[in-house]
Amino acid sequence: MQYFKSLEDLKNSYSMRICQIADERKSGKKLVGTFCLFVPDEIIFAAGADRIILCGGKNDTVSIAEQYLPRNICPLVKSSFGSIVNDGRSGIRSCSHFSMVDMIIAENTCDSKKKMYELLGDYVPTYVIDLPQRPDSPEALNYFLGELEKFKGAMEQLTGNKVTTERLKEEIRSSNETRHMFHRLYELRKQDPPPINGVDLLKILQKQYFLSTDELKKSLRMLIDEVEIIRPEGTHKPRIMISGCPMSGGNTKVPEIIESRGGIIVAEESCTGTRSFWDMVDEDKEPMLALAERYIKIPCSCMSPNDRRVDNILELARDFKVEGVVYYTLQFCHGYNIEKHKVQQALKKAGIPMLFIETDYSNSDIEQIGLRVDAFMEMLS
Ligand code: BJ8
């Protein structure tokens, strides 16, 4: 396995970031917590606030959440909620940054998240952006634009700063720059074999929601420099794309299984993957409209219909010379579970085999998934 200093450095980034946030808060800067890609960072940063993502990817707080919530909801929601309500008496140290958050900026996506946000209001002020559920309907864009305007007002109220057009444009430029860097990294993965494996790349994809913008860009720059000079050697391995639910920090189970069983991940169609950076915000348009246009197109399974996602998967499969797709869903994530059917049909038509894996954050099914991945790799070889 290749050694990347930039990724090694990320190991220390947690405590450094927490110290940075503590300093910012002392100087009066506000911190918001988010759970979803539909919340535009550009508006938060233009208001002079900072943000961190609060999505849980670890199993240890799931049982805490199950004292409050039904067991049959997705592990991402349970892990997040468990971290937030954990009073420390369980002996589990988790989500120490939650207590630093001034406000949660939530969004109406899946039922589990929506209902969790109603409960979170008891712990910290929670603002919900309402999303049109049919993004291609004629009224959707204007409705979403109105919601973003209201959200901008809420951020101005929280921070006491005016969100000017100039500041928004600066933040759009900055976020597009980050998106271009991810594109550059992905471009390098088109080589055969790719110079970086999927498990390594996931480390920075997961951290993108936690690091400050400057730190993220610095790490990305370093990683791109390291990856660019590698001349990949070795034998061909089956090129795999993962498609489906996000993999929040702490959740690397399935990519690890795939790459330890002979596959190489070349693309991730997920919110810890292409959905986070693929589309740019148009820098030539009025900034709020440009943001609304870009964000409403995120192909999340909470949207209906969501055919754009199927098209993206086919395009990625072609561009990255994908030989097999691992369709990954978290248990009880009905949106991604049901969309599997359409994705499977489209892939079948394109002649690309698909393996469906539905799992949670526990380790109990590692062996069983491993055996299924073995059989899939054998079929692809
Ligand atoms: S834009 S994928 S980050 S909503 S896994 S909590 S959908 S039941 S995370 Fe998501 Fe935004 Fe969409 Fe992306 Fe619900 Fe499914 Fe759980 Fe999920």
Side-chain angles (χ1 to χ4, degrees):
M1 193 185 283
Q2 193 76 36
Y3 169 82
F4 296 104
K5 184 174 182 313
S6 48
L7 296 181
E8 193 60 29
D9 291 352
L10 281 182
K11 283 187 183 159
N12 305 320
S13 62
Y14 182 84
S15 45
M16 277 166 54
R17 176 69 167 135
I18 293 296
C19 291
Q20 182 198 17
I21 291 170
D23 288 345
E24 284 177 353
R25 285 176 51 78
K26 267 190 223 145
S27 67
K29 191 164 186 163
K30 300 293 182 189
L31 177 71
V32 301
T34 60
F35 287 89
C36 178
L37 286 192
F38 277 109
V39 180
D41 282 344
E42 291 92 336
I43 297 177
I44 298 170
F45 298 147
D50 202 348
R51 76 96 178 86
I52 48 171
I53 197 121
L54 298 171
C55 290
K58 291 188 181 157
N59 199 43
D60 51 4
T61 52
V62 166
S63 58
I64 300 171
E66 285 174 350
Q67 294 166 25
Y68 302 78
L69 305 176
R71 297 188 69 191
N72 58 347
I73 57 173
C74 94
L76 188 151
V77 167
K78 284 190 285 189
S79 172
S80 311
F81 189 75
S83 297
I84 288 165
V85 300
N86 181 17
D87 57 10
R89 274 181 289 178
S90 62
I92 296 166
R93 256 191 86 248
S94 66
C95 210
S96 59
H97 47 272
F98 172 72
S99 54
M100 302 168 119
V101 163
D102 295 290
M103 187 179 261
I104 285 176
I105 307 296
E107 76 308 315
N108 268 344
T109 46
C110 68
D111 286 350
S112 305
K113 273 186 171 175
K114 276 194 273 200
K115 300 316 275 184
M116 173 177 74
Y117 297 143
E118 290 176 17
L119 304 181
L120 290 186
D122 290 344
Y123 298 87
V124 68
T126 301
Y127 181 92
V128 182
I129 301 174
D130 192 27
L131 300 176
Q133 305 288 297
R134 298 179 62 81
D136 296 324
S137 73
E139 305 80 19
L141 182 65
N142 267 346
Y143 183 77
F144 187 48
L145 182 57
E147 279 297 298
L148 291 189
E149 290 287 356
K150 282 195 263 173
F151 165 50
K152 182 173 79 144
M155 287 306 303
E156 289 177 335
Q157 206 177 1
L158 177 73
T159 60
N161 299 325
K162 187 100 191 100
V163 176
T164 62
T165 303
E166 230 8 83
R167 285 289 300 117
L168 275 174
K169 284 188 167 178
E170 276 170 38
E171 292 304 335
I172 288 172
R173 267 195 299 275
S174 168
S175 294
N176 277 348
E177 200 187 336
T178 309
R179 293 180 183 116
H180 280 298
M181 287 183 183
F182 275 114
H183 271 276
R184 178 71 197 125
L185 259 182
Y186 267 57
E187 204 50 41
L188 293 164
R189 301 171 89 187
K190 289 183 178 172
Q191 299 172 66
D192 187 21
I196 181 165
N197 66 33
V199 172
D200 278 341
L201 202 83
L202 188 60
K203 290 176 190 157
I204 196 150
L205 285 165
Q206 290 178 333
K207 278 274 173 8
Q208 67 175 305
Y209 305 113
F210 181 71
L211 296 177
S212 70
T213 315
D214 287 348
E215 276 305 310
L216 174 63
K217 283 186 179 160
K218 200 173 117 198
S219 301
L220 273 169
R221 238 173 251 127
M222 277 176 67
L223 182 59
I224 291 169
D225 286 348
E226 287 184 280
V227 176
E228 265 177 343
I229 56 169
I230 294 173
R231 294 286 158 263
E233 288 170 4
T235 51
H236 174 82
K237 291 178 177 176
R239 296 171 68 84
I240 304 296
M241 172 162 69
I242 292 195
S243 170
C245 290
M247 294 182 188
S248 307
N251 173 18
T252 51
K253 178 166 83 177
V254 171
E256 277 172 8
I257 295 173
I258 293 171
E259 295 197 328
S260 66
R261 307 269 177 157
I264 180 92
I265 298 163
V266 294
E268 300 79 8
E269 188 279 320
S270 84
C271 290
T272 35
T274 52
R275 269 181 247 139
S276 70
F277 67 85
W278 206 253
D279 293 329
M280 301 291 148
V281 180
D282 190 336
E283 296 181 25
D284 297 325
K285 283 196 175 164
E286 192 284 315
M288 289 299 285
L289 176 64
L291 287 170
E293 284 178 347
R294 189 267 179 198
Y295 279 83
I296 203 174
K297 283 199 208 127
I298 295 171
C300 169
S301 71
C302 300
M303 295 298 179
S304 173
N306 191 28
D307 296 337
R308 199 176 282 125
R309 176 167 174 239
V310 179
D311 296 342
N312 285 357
I313 290 171
L314 292 176
E315 191 186 325
L316 288 167
R318 194 184 54 237
D319 290 356
F320 287 82
K321 299 197 171 52
V322 167
E323 291 160 77
V325 171
V326 172
Y327 195 96
Y328 166 84
T329 70
L330 290 170
Q331 272 175 359
F332 310 114
C333 174
H334 302 314
Y336 284 98
N337 258 316
I338 294 170
E339 274 192 4
K340 176 199 77 176
H341 184 63
K342 274 195 173 183
V343 173
Q344 192 164 30
Q345 279 181 328
L347 287 172
K348 196 171 172 195
K349 221 167 148 193
I352 302 169
M354 185 186 108
L355 174 69
F356 172 54
I357 294 178
E358 182 183 7
T359 185
D360 58 12
Y361 288 170
S362 74
N363 290 333
S364 59
D365 55 359
I366 286 183
E367 258 321 293
Q368 187 219 346
I369 295 174
L371 292 174
R372 296 184 57 219
V373 169
D374 280 344
F376 191 57
M377 293 306 150
E378 209 178 303
M379 189 187 81
L380 296 177
S381 300

